[in-house]
Amino acid sequence: MSEVLARGRELRSRNRTRLTRPRTYVWIAGVVLLLALPFYLDRFWLQAGLFAMAAAIGAIGLNLLTGATGQLSMGHAFFLAIGAYGYCVFAGDGEGGLTGLGLPTWIAAALAVGVAGIAGGLFSPIAGRLQGAYLGIATLALIFIGQHVLFNAHDLTGGSNGRDVPPLSVFGITFDDSELVVAAVPFGASEKLWYAGLVLLFGCGLFARGVLRGRPGRAMNAIRDHRIAAGVIGVPVARYRAGVFVLSSMYAGLAGVLLALVFQRTVPDYFGITLSLEYLAMIVIGGLGSVAGAVAGAAVVSLLPQLLTRYSDALPLVSAPGTGGITPGEASRYLYGAAVVAVVLFLPGGLASIAARRSRPKSGHTPGEEQ
Amino acid sequence: MSSRKSKRVTATATALAALLAVAGCSSKTGDGEGDKEDAGGIKTGVGVSAKTIDLGVLTDMTGVYATLGKSVTQAQQLYVKQINADGGICGRKLKLTVRDHGYDPQKAVAAYTELEPEVLGFAQFIGSPFVAAVKQRVDTNKGLVLPQAWSSNLLGSSYVRVIGSTYDLETINAIDFLMKEKGLKKGDKLGHVYFEGDYGESALKGSQYMAKKSGLTVVEQKIKATDNDMTAQVAALKKAGVKGVVISAGPRQAASLVGVAAAGKFDVPIIGNNSAFSPQLLGTQAGPALAKNYYVASPTLPIGADTEAAKKLVADYKKAYPEDSLDNGVTAGWTAASVFGEALKRACESKDLTRAGVDKALLTIDAYDNGFGVPQNFTDPKAPSSKESVILRPDKGVTGGMKVVEKPFTATAAEGYTAGG
């Protein structure tokens, strides 16, 4: 009884403190900053940011699967490809001998995510039964099958040269390069997509947070930590595993759609094993099992190479391409590898654990709580 | 509490209002750089200042085309150095900004986005899928792109111009050579080993077209870029009884194919596209077999050609990069840079150094020869700049490892060929 009262008091006080906590203001400032960026940054930065947002959505999905449920997947790139190409097929107008259904683009985007989910569902009999590294090996097969199909199913994928991505169009706004002037700033594709990306990322983040903090999240963590114990306390292990796999494929599909929209062209080379490994690196660097970690990791992994290439002229030890020595491309790979090793050695919880460590002594949250 | 809250609301509202006001001061407002006219009456635009002309180079020095990318880029840097030493073009120095994308689509597109607002055009862009990815944008911003890729899929834009014959035309010329000189005749079977992807499939279009025209049957063998052992392919082609083989793959695959065929006494002429050879192969075990039975079709004379320009380039390149080998990339890079330079010179003559001016100047170039034997014609955006090929064969004694066996020619079948059909 007294426990319930105490909890109620705590809740009320938490609501009150929410306005006085500095964290709230950091959030507000962050959101305002993100909303304002398209007015100032040029296309390169916006595009880099969009790549990071798409990667973040995909990484959140993978983190649900690998971080929270402990199921290793090497096939994430396959589902990204399904999202990207699915969108092109549903939205394309069938020109140039490529299959295109000519659906309204927002329906196409939703269908592409659905198809990625269905593909995940088809794989779920396997995903539900295998665990850990075994699932990793099984999903590896998806990459090879996917690459073969992407290169050879010409009518659907356009073969090695890929196919054009029709611009998204929602509520009468078309997300292409036709200029729209807002507050005297011309808005092209990147500026408009920036907001679409933010909305999608925010929605995906919230949803995943809800899943992780609720009953399913606890069940998933239980499966990760001790599969048999989870089964004994009544968690339907196979069903949960299969379900998480489908959910994570849908996240990947959405990330694929967003990526395709940013690229304006889908290219099969992109959806290879390297991409899958990059996504795994993102969640390791960011922190396994948390939404914030996935976002942070995605930002680091997708921005680092682009920054290094851009500022290669000014960096020490990195020489201009063509003069011998370490080129920026190589340098970013070294750094990237070093980052993974450093995180595993010194920050086993990933970047997200820095934030958690700082807030823990003050608010007294239990360490298990993640966001 | 409530007064504090309202204060906060006011603060937030003020911040938002201030933000919108500040947005007005953003450097992105207005259209920024318009076309200007300098003191000499020369119109300039993006990428051209009073002292420099900025050109972009999107290359691959760490990915699958690393060796090609390095040679091409160094040759272009050499060209720029020499032009600048002679006083530049239009009183302006050329400046190359190099970005290495490592054959990664994300980096390639990002690098294009970064450089596009700052440069007049691109003297190099490796990777035809990436060129295709930005093609729509190139068509709107009109900045000239000279891709280092010879796929027929890239034709058709006024601002993306392929230099030299495309792979399909090259393959037609190569088969024509086999028929004229190497005893391949109507009714024979012809083997074609090709890479999955743009390059191989482009070449396959050529061999299929030629087969239809000349009554040959093509025996296709599709391989992946990671397949290095051609034993299975040789066995299959031998079984099918082919009388000649075309290979549209990399140098390693060509070496394996020729070596395995020679070891198995499978004595048919083998010809490759220009990417299917590198001088380093001659030092390997397959060297003698290559020298005996292998030919290469190329869009220009080789680096070791007996012309003044080639000899000068060899000497200069060796001086600038003594440790690096001379290969096709050097010629290709040099040619692309000098075509861009020629377009700039002509644009300068008509006092228009804007992107539109350069595009217009390029369209007037109808027979430009920089000393590699093949005149380039840029007047038709739908066609590659030449339909000619040169047939080479490996020779250890020559610079660059290749000597000419057949001077530049166009097969009669290639004359009537268009990439679309």
Side-chain angles (χ1 to χ4, degrees), chain B residues 171 192 194 199-209 218 220 248:
Chain B
T171 310
H192 193 167
Y194 64 99
Y199 157 34
E201 278 153 30
S202 187
L204 185 68
K205 268 188 217 161
S207 64
Q208 281 169 341
Y209 173 85
V218 179
E220 296 175 21
S248 310

Side-chain angles (χ1 to χ4, degrees), chain B residues 361-384:
Chain B
L362 188 69
L363 284 173
T364 66
I365 300 177
D366 56 1
Y368 176 65
D369 184 357
N370 65 339
F372 282 93
V374 178
Q376 312 283 341
N377 178 349
F378 291 95
T379 54
D380 181 8
K382 288 191 185 63

